[in-house]
Amino acid sequence: MTTLDATSPNPSNAPAPPVDNYLTFTRGFLSWALTLDHKRIGLMYLVAVLGSFLVGGIFALLVRTELLTPGATIPGVDAEVYNQFFTLHGAIMVFLVIIPSIPAALGNFVLPIMLGAKDVAFPRLNLGSFYLWIIGAVLAVLSLAYGGFDTGWTFYTPYSTTTSTGGVIPVVTGVFILGFSSIFTGLNFVVTIHKLRPPGMTWFRMPLLLWALYATALIQVLATPVLGITLLMLIVERVFQIGLFDPAMGGDPVLFQHFFWFYSHPAVYIMILPAMGIISEIISVHAHRHIFGYRFIAFSSVAIAIFSFLVWGHHMFTSGQSPLMNVVFSLITFSVAIPSAIKVFNWMATLYRGSISINTPMLYGLGFIFLFTIGGLTGLHLGTLNTDIHLHDTYFVVAHFHYVMMGSALIAMIGGLHHWWPKMVGRMYNEKWGIIGFALVFIGFNVTFFTQFMLGSHGMPRRYYNYQPEFQIYHVISTIGSYIMAAGFFWTLYYLVQSLFSGAKAPSNPWGGRSLEWQCTSPPPHDNFKTTPSVGDCYDFSVVKWDEEEGGYVVDRSQVDKQRPDH
Amino acid sequence: MTDLTSTVVDILSSTMLAMQDAAGTAAPAMQEPAAATTTAAPAGQVRELGGDFWMPPAASTLAPATDFAFHAITWLSYVFFFGITFALIYLTVKFRQRGTEVKYDAGAPVHNTPLEVGWTVIPLLLVIAIFFMGFKGFLDLSTPPKDAYEINVTAAQWSWSFKYPNGATSNDLVVPAGQPVKLVMRSNDVLHSLYIPDFRVKKDVVPGRYSYLWFQADEPTGMVPEDQSADTVVGHYLFCTEYCGKDHSNMNRKVFVLNETEFKEWEETQARWLDEVPDEELYSIAGPKLFLRCSNCHSIDGTAGTGPSWGDQTSGSIAGLGTLWERVTSGVSPIDGGTRDDGGSTLADYIGPGKLYETPEDYLRESIYNPGGLLISGYGPNMPHFRGQLSDRAVDALIGMIKNIDQFDAKGRFIGNAPD
């Protein structure tokens, strides 16, 4: 089974004959709008998610700028407007950016190729979930026309059912629909991984990103319906005045928090698990080194997915739930630390005796480990009962979850974007510019958010428009950091777009990857693989050799059969 | 089991203390209750952050245990963080690839069971120890002593009200030193959360149920300043930490800790002060103090807020119609909705002999005790009710202040001459 036609080297010096690729396979607007190709859908998701990231980022910059001074800073931005800013920032970043970023955008593109399949199991459902995402996003935007919403992204009742801002119902409906988009993507991935593995692709030969996406998909399918029901109940209370959560009508506001976090805590792992999968790929490919502890990493993904359902109560230590529940939830919360620590140690062991290429994706990979370590360790302060009582709802929490959700999940997404960029668009970006971009983002991020740990531990509450003057110095440093970070992201956008027009043509395998996506052309053909690909140990880099003629790496197929036994 | 618990905690404790001593930074917050907040300083001065690098001053008996746990976890984090960072840098530099040729090391280990079990079990033991440290502290935090002094707390958008056993009420939280204090808290509208950073205590205030919080502060802060609207560096901050809408960030007051005699005297005075104000000076003396509860939503200088200004408002539907008292007595304020709205267009349709409110004072009184009846157009039903919180005499004082609003400055301080 060594029939990888797609990897045949091109005569690269001569003008390349038009090779079938998914970007040029068919043309015209409708060929994209009605495409069933997982790669095109992934690319459309990517554009949509990055567009949302820009909008959410602008709101973040407005929030940071407003906080330069206590009280009013930007003319015309009063407390009401500010409350809408941080609400929009949070809601956009969580529901429109981070949750779909890796699974729906990158995952859609690489999952079937890595698996050796021609597409996902249900291509029409896949396109359908993209349009559900669009409808959800449009409703969220539409809410602004109805007066916006100032509830915070958590929609806590009874504030959310009584606030006079009129955009609550449109945006909650939007998030409800986005939930279905997420459920369908998860369902698609579960079935694809179960049913479309080619011969030889056993569970323990799958790249670790697929394990991570599989674990993520399980959470998406099992947890998201709870969010849907909760938001429907919120709408029912707000529209029909049926008392579910508002004590004035006989409801229970703490019940809403239970429902909300029963989804939203697992949702944190919808964000971070696929990021961990990407890091496993990036670290092993760019260190040219077999991943260390494959099974421990794979099982820790599943363990995290299971534990994620049992810890929601740690968001509610001060809410008035029973002290006994606080104790139980604190104990279970610490169990999540273990699989996360296992992954970090395994990534570090993978560097040992590797042959490490220090390039942009690898820097994002190493940056992830650094930032995730800080995010994870500060999670200990928050999981511990008595310290959480002090830190809950302060900037310490804000800093912690930005280190995890942005510093880890989004940084991994950007790293993965660089890693698969040559594969997606067939062009190389400028490596030096990439490193400059990483440096700006990494430094800016730490300046922005590390200061917020000190703000929070000294008692600065979150979601504050006005604050005590002695906190100002930290706010100023944090805002400066956010500008540096923004410069880094705009710079990254610039050189990525520039690479589309003047980047060098990408070889099939620019990094020396071993998994299947590096064995088809860049960009991949419409059907991914002309024939069923051969599957080996996807982390055995002994068969990957540099090919001067190709300008990239090739998999020496004569060696594939002699590979080492699995893991 | 308890023995094991305390042993683990003790071992961890002594290790952490040893590490702190070794680093020459014995946690200051734990050993010497910060003096910064106990000495009075001139008003208007920006106070310092205080405390140590991580924590604010520790001013309650519960704070040292929380700080200890915080610093212990932080030191453990330093060890892991610096270890991981140095290892990352070292490995990356040592094993970096030079040139395009990959030096693939076929013999590099792909797993090592003892190592992997090791880095699973060791973190597990560490987090179990941390859990018990937090558990012990939490038991103390959630178990108020039986003899605690009880103060009732009412939270509403966006003010706090503290009510004492002798009937005294206060906008700031004033507590006796050296005695456990238990707060019995309720909310009139949405979720709030009461947080005193220097005491390391926090609890959500949930509508429809009572929640409790206790602490004991031993160091007096000095007296409650006479002019409560002035900025002051005396006292501990009290914040609302559960997002509750527009003025969430202004829903904060101060905590003053008084020694036993000072507290008794304050409590007595506070219970009687309103009765002791001479009738003719009721609005000029009592008005400004009571107005602090209103000032987050109602301005005096004409700025539009969450509620209409008491002065001559300069924007919105009531712009240029005069002060609140003039708008009510002339009845020019336009009406748009409310539970008692039956289609009238201005206040004049509802105020006057034989109408819904006999006199303008009746309307104002009803609007304080039971707001939302008639909504001035442009304003929603946002005002919390003050039933049971303000006495008739307090409402008289506020109405008096509204009638004579031009004798007060923008912060609500009395500047005019006493009426003839």
Side-chain angles (χ1 to χ4, degrees), chain A residues 84-111:
Chain A
Q84 294 217 1
F85 281 171
F86 75 68
T87 301
L88 282 162
H89 164 68
I92 290 174
M93 288 301 195
V94 169
F95 296 115
L96 291 178
V97 180
I98 306 182
I99 287 179
S101 66
I102 297 176
L106 293 182
N108 246 321
F109 189 92
V110 298
L111 181 139

Side-chain angles (χ1 to χ4, degrees), chain A residues 33-45 103-112 118-134 180-189 192:
Chain A
L34 299 178
T35 184
L36 298 179
D37 182 354
H38 69 96
K39 298 181 288 299
R40 287 189 167 193
I41 294 172
L43 209 57
M44 293 194 293
Y45 261 122
L106 293 182
N108 246 321
F109 189 92
V110 298
L111 181 139
K118 284 175 193 273
D119 209 313
V120 291
F122 307 117
R124 281 182 184 78
L125 188 66
N126 200 19
L127 183 66
S129 47
F130 175 70
Y131 281 109
L132 284 178
W133 187 95
I134 295 285
F180 277 97
S181 168
S182 185
I183 293 170
F184 291 149
T185 301
L187 188 70
N188 226 332
F189 285 3
T192 305

Side-chain angles (χ1 to χ4, degrees), chain A residues 78-80 83 86-87 150-152 156-159 162 164 246-247 252-254 257 286 288-294 296 317-321 323 326-327 330-331 334-335 337-338 341-342 344-346 348-349 351-358 366 369-370 373-374 377-378 380-381 384-394 396 450 453-454 456-471 474 539-542 545-546 548 553 564 567, chain B residues 46-57 65-67 69-70 73-74 76-78 80-81 83-85 87-88 91-93 95-98 100-113 115-117 119-121 123-125 127-128 130-131 133-139 141-142 157-158 189-191 193 195-198 200-209 211 237 239-252 380 382:
Chain A
D78 60 12
E80 269 174 319
N83 291 346
F86 75 68
T87 301
D150 67 343
T151 57
Y156 269 18
T157 55
Y159 186 74
T162 52
S164 53
D246 187 348
D252 181 357
V254 179
Q257 297 176 32
H286 295 272
H288 305 283
R289 162 71 155 84
H290 195 290
I291 191 84
F292 186 91
Y294 177 95
F296 265 73
F317 287 163
T318 69
S319 73
Q321 70 180 357
N326 283 349
V327 172
S330 170
L331 186 60
F334 281 113
S335 66
I338 305 307
I342 290 172
V344 169
F345 293 133
N346 277 304
M348 291 187 7
L351 297 175
Y352 173 67
R353 290 171 71 178
S355 179
I356 301 168
S357 309
I358 301 175
L366 297 171
I369 299 180
F370 178 91
T373 300
I374 297 178
L377 288 170
T378 52
L380 297 176
H381 296 85
T384 307
L385 283 163
N386 59 350
T387 47
D388 181 71
I389 299 295
H390 174 58
L391 299 169
H392 180 76
D393 269 337
T394 68
F396 196 93
F450 202 82
F453 283 122
M454 267 88 86
S457 65
H458 280 103
M460 166 87 203
R462 64 192 285 206
R463 296 176 167 177
Y464 260 32
Y465 168 75
N466 190 11
Y467 56 83
Q468 278 53 41
E470 58 266 33
F471 291 126
Y474 289 120
Y539 295 107
D540 176 15
F541 296 99
S542 64
K545 294 278 179 287
W546 176 262
E548 205 58 55
Y553 294 85
R564 299 193 298 191
H567 313 290
Chain B
V46 173
R47 71 188 227 166
E48 287 171 14
L49 216 45
D52 61 14
F53 183 75
W54 285 111
M55 284 303 215
T66 303
D67 287 8
F70 184 93
I73 300 166
T74 305
L76 190 70
S77 301
Y78 288 155
F80 275 92
F81 170 73
I84 287 171
T85 307
L88 267 187
L91 289 169
T92 308
V93 171
F95 296 106
R96 74 184 182 279
Q97 180 189 322
R98 298 169 178 86
T100 50
E101 198 51 47
V102 173
K103 289 193 295 293
Y104 181 75
D105 185 346
V110 297
H111 69 93
N112 180 327
T113 308
L115 195 61
E116 291 174 72
V117 170
W119 66 44
T120 307
V121 172
L124 187 65
L125 295 177
V127 296
I128 289 175
I130 294 174
F131 163 76
M133 207 163 49
F135 176 47
K136 267 181 80 172
F138 179 71
L139 283 185
L141 278 168
S142 43
Q157 289 169 319
W158 291 276
D189 37 48
V190 298
L191 295 170
S193 186
Y195 175 38
I196 307 169
D198 292 354
R200 315 286 190 269
V201 293
K202 180 185 292 133
K203 190 62 167 257
D204 285 8
V205 187
V206 182
R209 59 167 83 168
S211 56
Y237 286 130
F239 293 123
C240 175
T241 45
E242 186 63 72
Y243 174 68
C244 58
K246 178 167 175 269
D247 275 315
H248 170 53
S249 66
N250 289 327
M251 190 169 158
N252 49 66
N382 294 324

Side-chain angles (χ1 to χ4, degrees), chain A residues 168-224:
Chain A
V168 174
I169 289 175
V171 74
V172 166
T173 313
V175 172
F176 177 77
I177 291 170
L178 287 171
F180 277 97
S181 168
S182 185
I183 293 170
F184 291 149
T185 301
L187 188 70
N188 226 332
F189 285 3
V190 169
V191 178
T192 305
I193 288 175
H194 270 280
K195 304 306 287 184
L196 297 189
R197 279 175 289 127
M201 180 61 87
T202 59
W203 281 89
F204 288 107
R205 275 185 173 179
M206 288 200 316
L208 286 164
L209 175 61
L210 300 189
W211 273 93
L213 285 171
Y214 182 79
T216 308
L218 288 181
I219 306 178
Q220 287 177 297
V221 172
L222 294 177
T224 318

